[in-house]
């Protein structure tokens, strides 16, 4: 269903939600989102981590590219330092989880103690 307007047109989808055909200030188009997802999937985990750290630092990839070589090197060194700390933290967490799982498997469980219950049934009539 399209409703013409002097400035732009709005379309309604099957759910009744409206989107601005001109895409001015509205949600991104499906093709745009699909392109972003495709780009994200093509990135390596290290590239994703670097982008996330840059975002934490409040720096866009374009801002990084526009920096002087000295400033860019400082930021890249900071990113590498943060990446190293995050990887070490992940490795430590994995080791702790493995140790906890190993401990659960090797230690006797107190919650599942088996006690023998004898039941005597008197059948004398």
């Amino acid at each position: 269903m399209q409703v013409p307007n002097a400035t732009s047109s709005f379309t309604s989808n099957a759910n009744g939600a409206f989107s601005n055909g001109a895409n001015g200030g509205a949600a991104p188009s499906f093709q745009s989102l699909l392109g972003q997802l495709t780009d994200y999937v093509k990135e390596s985990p290290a590239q994703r981590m670097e982008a996330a750290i840059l975002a934490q630092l409040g720096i866009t990839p374009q801002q990084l590219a526009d920096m002087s070589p000295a400033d860019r090197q400082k930021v890249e060194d900071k990113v590498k330092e943060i990446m190293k700390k995050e990887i070490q933290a992940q490795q430590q967490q994995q080791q702790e989880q493995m140790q906890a799982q190993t401990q659960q498997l090797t230690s006797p469980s107190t919650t599942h103690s088996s006690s023998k219950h004898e039941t005597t049934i008197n059948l004398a009539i």
Side-chain angles (χ1 to χ4, degrees):
M1 163 184 178
Q2 291 190 342
V3 180
N5 188 319
T7 57
S8 65
S9 66
F10 289 87
T11 57
S12 170
N13 66 13
N15 297 327
F18 289 92
S19 64
N20 184 339
N23 214 14
S29 70
F30 175 77
Q31 289 300 323
S32 172
L33 292 174
L34 184 59
Q36 289 175 13
L37 178 61
T38 302
D39 292 343
Y40 178 79
V41 171
K42 287 180 182 178
E43 291 179 346
S44 70
Q47 289 171 318
R48 288 185 214 138
M49 183 181 257
E50 182 178 359
I53 292 170
L54 282 175
Q56 288 175 359
L57 296 173
I59 300 170
T60 66
Q62 186 60 46
Q63 289 172 328
L64 182 65
D66 292 342
M67 289 181 180
S68 68
D71 288 341
R72 186 178 321 119
Q73 187 62 47
K74 288 178 186 177
V75 171
E76 289 173 352
D77 289 344
K78 181 70 174 174
V79 168
K80 287 177 187 176
E81 177 186 333
I82 293 171
M83 285 178 78
K84 184 177 178 181
K85 287 180 182 179
E86 286 187 13
I87 290 170
Q88 288 174 342
Q90 288 175 358
Q91 289 173 339
Q92 179 67 27
Q93 185 180 18
Q94 287 175 345
Q95 286 176 348
E96 290 171 359
Q97 288 175 346
M98 297 261 306
Q99 288 173 349
Q101 289 173 351
T102 303
Q103 191 175 23
Q104 286 177 347
L105 293 174
T106 59
S107 67
S109 176
T110 57
T111 59
H112 297 294
S113 64
S114 62
S115 62
K116 294 182 181 179
H117 295 298
E118 291 186 27
T119 306
T120 306
I121 301 174
N122 188 358
L123 298 175
I125 301 182

